[in-house]
Amino acid sequence: MLSPKDIAIEDKNVLQEYLGKSESSTYNFTTLFMWAGSGKIQYDIVDGCLVLFFHGRHHGVGCTYPLGNGNRQAAAEKSFEFMNRQSGSPHFILMTEQMAEECGAVFRNKLRIYSDRNNADYVYLSDSLIHLRGKKLHQKKNHLNAFLNHYDFQYERLGQENADECKELFLNWKQGQKNHGSGLSEEATVRLLDNVEKLGVTLGGIRVDGKLAAFSAGEPITDDMALIHIEYADTSIRGSFNMINQQFVQNEWSGFEFINREEDMGLEGLRKAKMAYRPVRMVEKYFTEYEGT
């Protein structure tokens, strides 16, 4: 019998054994911990595999295809039955291409697999984000130059002691957003900032006249890719978002070829902003819909 559990900071080592190194932002402990909230994401170890349960996505509960070296087919079948009992509409979500292929083979006549564009991760060349060369990035370079022409700044590696300062900047940013949504991003951001040291993420910021003007947090996820979890800035300072984007990569991730800046969640404005930085490729994700027996 499956018994999903909430994700706590103490679960990092246990989950990391199964998550390994993945280019997908989904299969990263910090991502999961941030967004787990009050039981929104849970996990269970089934037949030697990790299964992640997402509540409230699509129709009720959905889960990832099992991760690990255990009996993935048995774990998938048990997860399928669990979801079927919970909602009558079992579906696997946020799958990598390899997971989707395996899932399709196991549930050949029960599930149809679809590409999940809204949750695909944007991947950029770090060199491109640092130097902003070429006509396609000319507008971004202009915003950066506007910042440099008007402000003296300092980049600073931040730590746990700067969490409250970052929260204050984030809350000020949030107040200026007209359609911010349910507050999930606030809960996720606070969970990360309260656990910077325990999560082992890198936190960096820029200061203007000694005051924090922007900050970002990220970590390596493979040998050649870093993942950016959050990025916020004072919108009254033109170019502050562009500046933290460039400075964070230049100072912390220039040794990594690729930068994963996560998905756009289907939000038109966010998609436009991410496409404007010219991703070199996407980390595709897939989901299933129940076709019946």
Side-chain angles (χ1 to χ4, degrees):
M1 182 68 179
L2 274 65
S3 180
K5 310 165 189 65
D6 290 349
I7 297 175
I9 192 69
E10 293 78 16
D11 297 319
K12 181 179 179 180
N13 290 338
V14 174
L15 268 64
Q16 193 59 51
E17 289 184 21
Y18 297 92
L19 295 170
K21 293 182 178 181
S22 172
E23 288 191 347
S24 172
S25 65
T26 301
Y27 302 106
N28 168 265
F29 181 79
T30 300
T31 301
L32 296 171
F33 175 77
M34 284 176 62
W35 294 97
S38 302
K40 297 180 183 70
I41 306 175
Q42 296 182 303
Y43 79 97
D44 200 2
I45 307 301
V46 186
D47 287 295
C49 300
L50 172 66
V51 180
L52 299 165
F53 299 86
F54 290 74
H55 299 271
R57 298 177 68 97
H58 300 289
H59 314 291
V61 60
C63 75
T64 60
Y65 195 78
L67 297 96
N69 297 320
N71 190 334
R72 289 194 298 272
Q73 179 171 340
E77 290 170 346
K78 290 176 182 177
S79 300
F80 180 93
E81 293 303 324
F82 175 83
M83 291 187 289
N84 202 18
R85 289 193 300 270
Q86 292 286 312
S87 64
S89 180
H91 51 282
F92 294 96
I93 60 175
L94 301 171
M95 296 186 294
T96 64
E97 184 174 356
Q98 182 178 350
M99 290 175 177
E101 290 176 358
E102 190 169 324
C103 183
V106 173
F107 299 100
R108 192 178 305 275
N109 299 317
K110 293 183 178 180
L111 300 173
R112 184 180 294 271
I113 297 173
Y114 298 91
S115 176
D116 188 358
R117 174 63 178 84
N118 292 345
N119 285 299
D121 292 333
Y122 290 75
V123 176
Y124 307 85
L125 292 173
S126 61
D127 183 76
S128 177
L129 295 179
I130 293 170
H131 298 290
L132 300 174
R133 298 187 182 98
K135 292 182 178 180
K136 292 181 178 179
L137 292 172
H138 184 68
Q139 187 176 18
K140 298 297 182 184
K141 192 67 173 284
N142 284 344
H143 288 307
L144 198 70
N145 287 335
F147 180 97
L148 292 170
N149 289 335
H150 287 86
Y151 304 102
D152 290 324
F153 80 98
Q154 301 82 39
Y155 176 84
E156 181 181 329
R157 170 77 73 88
L158 305 176
Q160 191 65 64
E161 68 277 8
N162 303 106
D164 288 343
E165 194 176 10
C166 292
K167 289 179 196 176
E168 182 180 359
L169 190 153
F170 166 75
L171 292 174
N172 288 337
W173 170 86
K174 182 187 172 187
Q175 288 176 1
Q177 305 305 300
K178 295 180 180 179
N179 300 306
H180 187 65
S182 64
L184 288 178
S185 63
E186 179 177 350
E187 185 176 12
T189 298
V190 169
R191 281 170 70 88
L192 183 149
L193 291 173
D194 282 344
N195 293 277
V196 167
E197 195 170 293
K198 292 179 180 178
L199 289 168
V201 297
T202 297
L203 188 64
I206 55 174
R207 295 188 182 278
V208 173
D209 296 328
K211 184 179 179 181
L212 189 66
F215 73 92
S216 187
E219 64 181 306
I221 52 174
T222 71
D223 293 338
D224 62 358
M225 182 179 291
L227 171 65
I228 308 301
H229 289 293
I230 54 175
E231 180 182 272
Y232 295 104
D234 182 345
T235 54
S236 70
I237 300 176
R238 183 189 172 189
S240 54
F241 267 105
N242 305 86
M243 201 67 199
I244 188 59
N245 184 327
Q246 188 265 352
Q247 284 289 300
F248 193 50
V249 176
Q250 178 174 295
N251 285 279
E252 308 295 351
W253 312 116
S254 60
F256 292 79
E257 184 176 4
F258 301 107
I259 305 295
N260 182 326
R261 291 183 57 84
E262 300 187 335
E263 72 279 9
D264 61 37
M265 300 177 289
L267 300 174
E268 183 178 353
L270 192 54
R271 179 167 297 184
K272 183 178 179 181
K274 289 181 180 286
M275 288 300 296
Y277 270 101
R278 305 297 173 180
V280 66
R281 61 184 172 89
M282 308 291 287
V283 177
E284 303 293 345
K285 299 177 190 178
Y286 302 86
F287 69 95
T288 68
E289 291 290 350
Y290 186 42
E291 294 284 290
T293 56

